[in-house]
């Protein structure tokens, strides 16, 4: 996973890009406390678990991927165990 800082609010997350449309984000802090977008949703009664993403963070990640700052991860499944 690669570190990314949101260009709108400076929230830091870890990101893995598996394809152009598949992105995994790991928060390093509570989303509702560090991201104004998630905080606004929480203020309206929507817990962060029900918020798909922050548009500003998504834009930041997209720009980082386009600029080559985030490289696409190439993971593979482990080889099967012998006899299975």
């Amino acid at each position: 996973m690669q570190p990314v800082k949101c260009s709108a609010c400076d929230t830091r997350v870890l990101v893995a890009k598996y394809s152009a449309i598949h992105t995994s984000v790991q928060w390093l802090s509570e989303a509702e406390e560090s991201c104004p977008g998630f905080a606004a949703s929480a203020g309206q009664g929507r817990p962060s678990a029900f918020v798909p993403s922050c548009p500003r963070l998504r834009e930041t990640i997209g720009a980082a991927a386009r600029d080559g700052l985030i490289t696409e991860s190439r993971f593979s499944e482990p080889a099967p165990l012998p006899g299975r």
Side-chain angles (χ1 to χ4, degrees):
M1 299 198 92
Q2 300 166 73
V4 172
K5 182 172 74 168
C6 180
S7 62
C9 69
D10 292 336
T11 295
R12 294 179 182 273
V13 296
L14 297 177
V15 175
K17 286 291 286 176
Y18 297 109
S19 71
I21 59 172
H22 182 185
T23 304
S24 178
V25 176
Q26 180 177 340
W27 289 81
L28 301 173
S29 57
E30 292 296 323
E32 294 173 0
E33 294 174 10
S34 60
C35 173
F38 277 90
S41 292
Q44 297 171 354
R46 284 181 73 195
S48 62
F50 298 109
V51 179
S53 68
C54 171
R56 291 177 298 276
L57 179 60
R58 187 174 52 234
E59 289 170 9
T60 299
I61 293 168
R66 283 189 303 278
D67 294 345
L69 301 174
I70 300 173
T71 56
E72 200 170 291
S73 177
R74 297 288 183 199
F75 71 94
S76 62
E77 295 294 325
L81 296 174
R84 292 195 175 189

